[in-house]
């Protein structure tokens, strides 16, 4: 113990007249079991109350506090300072619109994604409260849950080469979302319907295969497998469509 | 200034808020949800364990039905709940779980054949029936007679939240995030909506609606040590309470969870104990079975928290730089169980403690966890005091939890109450038209602009927001925690009176421009201290022990004098809450009796009072047998 940490934090408040983006230095004494959640809150409460950043659950389950920590996107709440060098550089996530300092607008981005992917179970069945639930294989249920573990922190999007180049790229989070519905037997959409949504350069064929998305995912989601799975499926769908035209 | 209009304005977009909004939207009404964070980050998503509903599909849930669920809930509440509400809840829960399944929740399902489970560290065997294959299964939770908690691995809240938010997207409900309601617009009779601060740019806007529902969750953050997310700061309660017309129900009724990890107070699920985890003391010996021979680790939360505190007081706690704690042991559950069914626990241990729960013990201590206290509503979810104002979920004191809620009942309440209250709001909207008085709206906006200006420019004083908040949090930890007594509570009230003075004199250090957090904290500080004061004063007055409310100087549950609910009003300009009382429940299906755990003497209620209110019900007979 007893380390003195040097923080270098990106500062910019778009609402403050004349403000320009810059880096600001803070010094803080490290304490046992310190996380960036503890450190940033101490900086705000003790040194600079104008500092803007987001935390919510502070337990790694909500995704609010994603930021670029020493060059790598991750969750601030589950980053222990003892695993970092004494000089910690913090930036907001790229790609998303900046709210101020370390806070970005993931909410609007993800809301638009739900609309694009039509992120809900498509079915013609009407719920009957008097009936027993429809049965499901437990393994299928667990498989769906595996893909639903995404916390929408945005790390995968900001680490994505394609998303950095083009605004309309859907990114791993959206493709993972589609995969979640593809494996769900309750969703009656066909492969052709999914193809309409992701069978293009904004979707599955825009991925350059750099796979940083999976590297930085704080939940360890198998994003690489999902990309492969969907690309194969969509490739086959595309082939079928070509042959059908003959 | 932008003005938005909708039929239903929902403040808070967690599970109960979104469920209420869905009900309105499905019936053709325009619903808007406001949330200070993107909806899926709501604290609902942090619930790991599951939702109680008497489906009775799994082997250890056989014979379960809403009557048994009702009995567990009433006993759990220590007879502090409204039995009409508990009945509505228990009956609707199974339907609501099936509805969630239809909407997309990947509930874990029954797998037929032999499997094993742990109870109190011992291994048992069970057989799931072939004919139930694929139905929604359940796990065991504290305080329940049957295995009744529906779950999706260890991410139930997250999975249900995803599905609910998807449902909102499908129904075209406007869910606006980074919006914080800072006051209600009302004319002393009806509620017309809210003044809202945009947390992106700091601008104010007005949201008008025929009906408004407050679904903002609990207010654990007024305590120093809490499992709650940082957004659970009482914002919604403060909106209603500061009108002076709306009471907080049972403010003294605050739940402490036995297993917050030390030092960050992050919760590890009750599922740990449900699945067979044990609590150990400094000598690494079990102790819960000594205090609670029958239920041991599976006694209800208030009991386990109390026994842990007692055991630490008896010198059996583990000393650490962060104070004393005990150990949670899940090593014997094995790698497979820990890495699948308790994966979140595993991750929490790794990320926040650097502990491997397969081979190491987890340091835990009781921590503030849940507020049974809340905005008092009737059984329709309509808030006392203002027409057109509703509340659901943890924010509300709808009162199915009374003085202690059972694990798995809160997450279930969010959607079940959301459905029931949503339907009542639809009924209200169908028969209601209103006009909005622009004079009232403008006056309220002006009042808020002035408040912001004053605090930003230090017009009332320059006291530090965070220091004053800290004083309040410490006072509650000291005087209003697991155990309470007259001296401690009196001191707490006195301290908080001083804190109140200070809260009125805070001024910002920063300039308050844009998405400023210091301003948001300052705006709700006085309201938070009012809530704290309600807790302390109500706890001081309630001279008995019931559920989570433990008076060392009054260890008996006193049904003769305290079979009632506290209503804490805060009249305009007052310095102390005005406490009133109402009957706990209009009727008894289950007359007051022994909970079967937790010990303690009961001073019985007047026999005539109970008999007059007892109704004929299948439950009365089942209840007697237990």
């Amino acid at each position: 113990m007893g380390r003195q940490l040097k923080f270098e934090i990106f500062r910019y408040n778009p609402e403050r007249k004349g403000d320009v983006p810059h880096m600001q230095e803070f010094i803080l004494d490290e304490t046992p079991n310190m996380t960036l959640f503890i450190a940033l809150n101490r900086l705000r409460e003790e040194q600079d109350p104008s500092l803007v950043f987001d935390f919510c659950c502070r337990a790694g389950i909500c995704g609010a506090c994603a930021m670029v920590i020493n060059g790598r996107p991750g969750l601030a709440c589950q980053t222990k300072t003892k695993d970092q060098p004494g000089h910690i550089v913090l930036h907001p996530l790229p790609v998303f619109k900046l709210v101020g300092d370390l806070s970005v607008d993931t909410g609007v981005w993800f809301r638009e994604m739900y609309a694009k992917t039509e992120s809900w179970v498509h079915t013609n069945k009407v719920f009957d409260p008097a009936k027993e639930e429809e049965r499901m294989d437990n393994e299928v249920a667990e498989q769906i849950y595996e893909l639903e573990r995404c916390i929408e922190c945005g790390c995968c999007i900001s680490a994505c080469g394609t998303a950095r180049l083009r605004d309309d790229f859907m990114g791993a989070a959206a493709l993972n979302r589609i995969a979640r519905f593809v494996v769900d037997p309750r969703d009656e959409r066909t492969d052709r319907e999914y193809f309409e949504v992701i069978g293009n350069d904004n979707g599955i064929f825009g991925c350059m295969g750099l796979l940083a998305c999976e590297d930085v995912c704080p939940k360890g989601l198998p994003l690489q497998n999902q990309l492969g799975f969907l690309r194969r499926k969509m490739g086959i769908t595309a082939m079928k469509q070509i042959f059908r035209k003959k | 200034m932008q003005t938005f209009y909708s039929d239903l304005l929902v403040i808070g977009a967690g599970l109960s808020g979104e469920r209420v909004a869905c009900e309105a939207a499905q019936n053709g009404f325009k619903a808007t949800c406001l949330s200070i964070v993107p909806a899926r980050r709501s604290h609902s998503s942090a619930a790991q364990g599951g939702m109680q509903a008497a489906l009775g599909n799994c082997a250890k849930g056989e014979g379960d039905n809403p009557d048994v669920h009702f009995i567990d809930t009433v006993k759990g509440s220590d007879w502090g709940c409204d039995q009409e509400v508990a009945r509505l809840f228990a009956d609707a829960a199974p339907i609501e779980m099936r509805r969630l399944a239809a909407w997309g929740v990947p509930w874990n399902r029954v797998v037929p054949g032999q499997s094993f489970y742990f109870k109190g560290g011992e291994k048992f065997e069970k057989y799931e029936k072939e004919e139930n294959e694929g139905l929604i299964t359940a796990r065991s939770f504290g305080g329940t007679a049957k295995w009744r908690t529906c779950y999706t691995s260890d991410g139930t809240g997250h999975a249900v939240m995803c599905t609910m938010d998807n449902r909102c997207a499908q129904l075209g409900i406007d869910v606006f995030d980074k919006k914080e309601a800072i006051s209600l617009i009302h004319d002393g009779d009806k509620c017309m909506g809210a003044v809202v601060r945009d947390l992106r740019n700091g601008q104010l806007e007005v949201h008008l609606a025929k009906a408004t529902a407050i679904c903002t969750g609990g207010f654990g953050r007024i305590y120093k040590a809490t499992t709650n997310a940082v957004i659970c700061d009482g914002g919604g309660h403060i909106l209603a309470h500061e009108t002076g017309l709306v009471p907080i129900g049972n403010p003294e009724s605050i739940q402490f969870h036995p297993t917050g990890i030390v030092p960050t107070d992050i919760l590890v699920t009750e599922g740990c104990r449900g699945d067979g985890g044990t609590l150990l003391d400094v000598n690494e010996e079990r102790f819960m079975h000594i205090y609670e021979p029958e239920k041991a680790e599976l006694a209800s939360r208030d009991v386990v928290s109390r026994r842990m505190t007692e055991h630490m007081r008896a010198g059996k706690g583990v000393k650490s730089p962060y104070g004393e704690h005990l150990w949670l042991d899940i090593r014997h559950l094995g790698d497979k169980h820990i890495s699948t069914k308790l994966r979140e626990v595993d991750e929490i241990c790794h990320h926040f403690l650097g502990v491997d729960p397969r081979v190491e013990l987890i340091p835990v201590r009781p921590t503030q966890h849940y507020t049974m206290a809340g905005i008092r509503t009737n059984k329709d979810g309509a808030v006392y005091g203002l027409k057109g104002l509703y509340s659901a979920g943890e924010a509300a004191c709808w009162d199915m939890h009374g003085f202690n809620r059972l694990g798995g009942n809160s997450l279930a309440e969010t959607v079940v109450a959301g459905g029931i209250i949503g339907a009542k709001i639809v009924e209200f909207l169908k028969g209601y038209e209103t006009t909005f008085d622009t004079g009232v709206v403008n006056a309220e906006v002006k009042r808020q602009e002035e408040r912001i200006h004053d605090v930003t420019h230090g017009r009332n004083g320059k006291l530090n927001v965070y220091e004053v908040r800290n004083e309040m949090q410490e006072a509650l930890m000291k005087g209003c925690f697991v155990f309470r007594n007259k001296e401690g509570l009196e001191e707490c009230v006195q301290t908080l009176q001083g804190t109140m003075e200070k809260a009125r004199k805070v001024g910002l250090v920063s300039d308050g421009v844009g998405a400023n957090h210091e301003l948001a904290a300052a705006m709700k500080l006085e309201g938070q201290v009012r809530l704290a004061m309600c807790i302390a004063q109500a706890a001081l007055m309630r001279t008995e022990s019931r559920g989570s409310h433990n008076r060392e100087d009054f260890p008996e549950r006193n049904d003769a004098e305290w079979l009632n609910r506290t209503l804490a009003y805060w009249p305009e300009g007052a310095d102390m809450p005005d406490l009133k009382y109402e009957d706990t429940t209009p009727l008894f299906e289950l007359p007051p009796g022994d909970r079967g755990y937790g010990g303690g003497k009961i001073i019985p209620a007047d026999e005539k009072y109970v008999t007059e209110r007892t109704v004929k019900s299948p439950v009365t007979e089942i209840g007697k047998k237990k």
Side-chain angles (χ1 to χ4, degrees):
Chain A
M1 266 324 110
R3 254 199 328 174
Q4 223 180 33
L5 300 174
K6 185 165 94 175
F7 285 88
E8 206 181 328
I9 297 177
F10 175 87
R11 300 300 308 269
Y12 178 56
N13 183 343
E15 297 297 319
R16 187 179 296 126
K17 275 193 190 122
D19 202 8
V20 284
H22 61 284
M23 299 302 284
Q24 187 179 344
E25 253 184 46
F26 296 92
I27 303 289
L28 195 64
D29 287 331
E30 193 173 29
T31 53
N33 281 4
M34 185 184 252
T35 62
L36 287 186
F37 168 72
I38 296 170
L40 281 168
N41 275 288
R42 274 190 55 194
L43 288 180
R44 179 155 71 192
E45 292 176 17
E46 295 164 15
Q47 299 190 28
D48 189 345
S50 71
L51 196 56
V52 180
F53 51 80
D54 293 322
F55 280 99
C56 181
C57 74
R58 61 75 180 93
I61 36 187
C62 85
C65 61
M67 57 184 70
V68 180
I69 304 156
N70 282 333
R72 189 184 169 88
L75 295 183
C77 70
Q78 61 180 34
T79 302
K80 296 190 281 290
T81 53
K82 75 174 168 64
D83 299 334
Q84 298 290 326
H87 182 191
I88 299 174
V89 184
L90 302 177
H91 285 97
L93 290 186
V95 182
F96 301 97
K97 190 176 173 217
L98 183 76
V99 172
D101 300 344
L102 300 174
S103 169
V104 295
D105 190 346
T106 49
V108 166
W109 193 96
F110 276 93
R111 207 100 215 138
E112 283 169 4
M113 183 272 269
Y114 310 160
K116 271 190 236 166
T117 56
E118 299 193 4
S119 168
W120 52 85
V121 170
H122 288 52
T123 176
N124 288 317
K125 287 182 190 145
V126 180
F127 174 69
D128 181 352
K131 266 196 187 156
E132 184 181 273
E133 64 270 25
E134 213 166 295
R135 290 169 191 248
M136 184 185 267
D137 190 70
N138 192 53
E139 274 183 32
V140 175
E142 284 181 350
Q143 217 184 331
I144 297 168
Y145 175 68
E146 275 311 298
L147 299 174
E148 206 162 74
R149 289 174 59 240
C150 169
I151 55 172
E152 304 187 356
C153 59
C155 285
C156 62
I157 307 298
S158 38
C160 170
T162 311
R164 297 283 284 271
L165 292 173
R166 41 191 303 175
D167 293 337
D168 53 3
F169 182 58
M170 298 171 88
L175 296 168
N176 178 68
R177 179 64 51 83
I178 287 283
R180 179 246 176 270
F181 290 105
V182 170
V183 300
D184 192 332
R186 291 168 294 197
D187 197 306
E188 292 162 357
R189 275 180 280 186
T190 62
D191 285 348
R192 276 200 67 177
E193 286 170 283
Y194 288 121
F195 190 84
E196 293 297 320
V197 183
I198 57 164
N200 51 40
D201 278 357
N202 304 339
I204 196 70
F205 300 121
C207 167
M208 299 190 286
L210 301 175
L211 304 175
C213 52
E214 181 160 330
D215 287 348
V216 299
C217 177
K219 302 311 271 188
L221 291 178
L223 298 172
Q224 186 179 343
N225 289 350
Q226 294 320 311
L227 290 168
F229 162 70
L230 284 181
R231 202 191 290 240
R232 222 163 33 241
K233 215 169 168 57
M234 292 301 114
I236 294 167
T237 311
M239 296 297 278
K240 277 186 190 159
Q241 274 172 281
I242 293 166
F243 289 121
R244 207 172 282 136
K245 275 175 193 157
K246 273 186 182 172
Chain B
M1 164 122 26
Q2 269 191 297
T3 302
F4 298 80
Y5 172 78
S6 47
D7 293 309
L8 171 64
L9 173 68
V10 185
I11 300 169
L15 280 177
S16 52
E18 289 207 332
R19 181 67 187 85
V20 165
C22 286
E23 203 58 32
Q26 278 163 214
N27 285 282
F29 291 101
K30 180 177 160 57
T32 300
C33 289
L34 304 177
S35 174
I36 52 182
V37 291
R40 288 177 200 220
R41 310 223 193 287
S42 302
H43 198 44
S44 302
S45 74
Q48 299 159 1
M51 288 188 179
Q52 281 204 41
L55 288 161
N57 291 331
C58 68
K60 303 294 289 177
E62 257 175 53
D64 199 11
N65 62 48
D67 289 339
V68 187
H69 189 183
F70 171 87
I71 292 172
D72 284 343
T73 303
V74 175
K75 282 187 177 176
S77 83
D78 220 351
W79 275 270
C81 73
D82 181 329
Q83 297 200 7
E84 275 192 305
V85 168
R87 170 53 71 184
L88 285 172
F89 164 75
D91 286 350
I95 299 168
E96 206 62 33
M97 296 311 123
R98 294 188 180 118
R99 192 192 314 273
L100 289 174
W103 285 358
V105 173
W107 293 121
N108 276 57
R109 304 292 180 135
V110 174
V111 179
Q114 183 198 38
S115 55
F116 299 96
Y117 66 98
F118 286 88
K119 197 177 164 188
E122 259 182 88
K123 197 172 179 180
F124 293 89
E125 203 177 16
K126 66 180 172 70
Y127 290 88
E128 296 290 349
K129 284 184 183 157
E130 207 72 48
E131 71 233 43
N132 288 340
E133 179 170 12
L135 294 175
I136 299 170
T137 191
R139 60 162 50 138
S140 174
F141 250 37
T144 69
K146 301 277 179 187
W147 286 25
R148 184 187 299 132
T149 312
C150 309
Y151 66 100
T152 53
S153 301
D154 58 357
T156 312
H158 177 83
V160 179
M161 193 67 236
C162 286
T163 296
M164 195 65 76
D165 200 35
N166 283 342
R167 181 75 184 164
C168 285
Q170 183 182 5
L171 292 169
I173 295 167
D174 284 327
V175 183
F176 296 121
D177 68 312
K178 285 194 179 277
K179 303 270 187 191
E180 180 164 43
I182 56 170
S183 78
L184 291 181
I185 301 170
H186 70 95
D187 58 7
D189 172 43
K190 66 176 189 221
C191 180
M192 299 176 228
V195 180
V196 174
R197 180 168 168 260
D198 186 311
L199 299 180
R200 289 182 179 80
N201 54 28
Q203 301 292 313
L204 294 191
E205 39 191 63
V206 168
H207 285 258
L208 299 177
K210 290 207 288 190
T212 304
I214 298 177
C215 306
T216 49
F219 53 87
R221 280 281 155 182
I222 69 173
Y223 277 84
K224 189 96 197 155
T226 172
T227 62
N228 287 190
V230 299
I231 53 172
C232 303
D233 56 11
H237 300 85
I238 294 166
L239 296 179
H241 200 215
E242 78 170 357
T243 62
L245 306 165
V246 177
I248 298 294
N250 281 345
E252 67 273 44
S253 179
I254 304 286
Q255 184 175 71
F256 305 94
H257 197 287
T259 54
I261 63 167
V262 182
T264 42
D265 301 298
I266 294 169
L267 173 74
V268 292
T269 176
E270 187 153 338
C272 288
R273 282 172 294 124
D275 290 356
T278 52
L279 290 166
L280 306 181
D281 62 18
V282 67
N283 305 320
E284 301 194 11
E285 283 168 6
R286 272 186 82 204
F287 58 89
M288 274 307 298
H289 64 289
I290 302 169
Y291 297 102
E292 299 294 326
E294 201 169 315
K295 297 253 178 183
E297 275 84 355
L298 292 178
S300 76
R301 288 175 180 182
D302 59 319
V303 175
V304 179
S305 294
R306 200 158 67 226
R307 297 307 191 192
M308 286 170 75
T309 310
E310 277 180 48
H311 203 64
M312 285 192 277
R313 282 181 176 184
K316 299 288 182 68
V318 185
K319 303 253 187 315
S320 89
Y322 305 98
E324 287 193 25
H325 63 78
L326 293 158
W327 299 114
L328 174 64
D329 183 9
I330 59 170
R331 295 173 298 189
H332 52 282
L333 301 183
D335 175 56
K336 188 168 177 236
H337 192 100
I338 292 172
S339 53
T340 55
K341 294 200 171 143
L342 296 171
R343 182 168 47 193
E344 292 285 347
V345 175
D346 193 18
E347 285 181 10
I348 287 167
C349 289
H350 279 286
H351 289 309
F352 304 96
L353 291 171
V355 159
D356 181 356
R358 287 165 195 77
V359 289
E360 289 172 274
L361 298 171
I362 310 167
V364 292
R365 67 179 169 205
T367 302
Q368 192 287 337
H369 181 55
Y370 189 84
T371 48
M372 282 75 71
I375 301 167
R376 178 66 185 138
T377 73
N378 66 15
K379 65 178 174 181
D380 296 341
V383 171
Y384 283 20
L386 274 176
K387 193 176 172 185
L389 184 61
Y390 290 81
S391 183
E394 190 178 348
C397 177
W398 186 41
D399 222 2
M400 56 167 277
H401 301 305
F403 276 76
N404 177 55
R405 82 155 167 93
L406 298 181
N409 257 359
S410 67
L411 200 59
E413 184 196 14
T414 60
V415 288
V416 177
I420 293 171
I421 292 164
K424 289 290 171 187
I425 293 175
V426 167
E427 267 176 41
F428 171 79
L429 288 172
K430 279 181 178 162
Y432 181 67
E433 294 302 335
T434 188
T435 50
F436 298 111
D437 185 333
T438 53
V440 173
V441 177
N442 290 337
E444 188 53 39
V445 172
K446 192 150 180 287
R447 198 171 74 89
Q448 294 310 318
E449 282 171 346
E450 276 167 13
R451 267 183 75 200
I452 291 173
H453 183 267
D454 288 352
V455 72
T456 307
H457 294 87
R459 286 286 168 86
N460 307 320
K462 301 232 168 180
L463 292 180
N464 185 294
V465 176
Y466 299 112
E467 279 171 21
V468 178
R469 190 178 70 182
N470 207 30
E471 189 177 294
M472 165 190 73
Q473 290 171 331
E474 298 285 0
L476 286 179
M477 293 301 286
K478 204 169 160 213
C480 283
F481 211 58
V482 175
F483 282 104
R484 299 154 179 198
N485 58 48
K486 183 166 180 279
E487 291 71 37
L489 288 165
E490 278 173 349
E491 189 194 317
C492 185
V493 170
Q494 209 178 1
T495 310
L496 288 170
Q497 276 170 333
T499 316
M500 174 74 72
E501 282 304 305
K502 291 180 191 167
R504 289 169 178 157
K505 290 179 187 153
V506 296
L508 301 192
V509 176
S510 66
D511 61 7
V513 170
N516 187 286
H517 178 271
E518 192 190 16
L519 175 60
M523 295 283 283
K524 59 178 76 98
L525 188 55
E526 194 184 330
Q528 288 179 323
V529 182
R530 278 199 296 263
L531 290 175
M533 193 95 105
C534 288
I535 299 176
Q537 183 65 17
L540 176 62
M541 290 298 128
R542 186 172 285 273
T543 48
E544 65 154 357
S545 292
R546 184 182 297 273
S548 63
H549 172 68
N550 285 290
R551 285 287 299 259
E552 288 172 294
D553 40 358
F554 295 95
E556 309 84 13
R557 189 182 91 196
N558 187 343
D559 286 351
E561 290 177 277
W562 288 104
L563 203 53
N564 58 21
R565 179 179 302 108
T566 310
L567 299 176
Y569 289 84
W570 200 286
E572 216 183 310
D575 285 321
M576 285 288 286
D578 179 13
L579 301 186
K580 295 192 164 70
Y581 295 90
E582 65 177 6
D583 280 354
T584 296
T585 177
L587 53 85
F588 295 109
E589 274 192 63
L590 192 66
D594 182 19
R595 300 166 91 188
Y597 50 84
K601 240 179 67 190
I602 298 169
I603 300 170
D606 175 48
E607 215 168 301
K608 188 163 160 268
Y609 174 90
V610 174
T611 319
E612 275 173 1
R613 282 163 181 76
T614 303
V615 295
K616 216 171 144 54
S617 153
V619 159
T620 348
E621 284 311 305
I622 306 173
K624 271 185 205 152
K625 277 184 218 150
K626 302 247 156 203

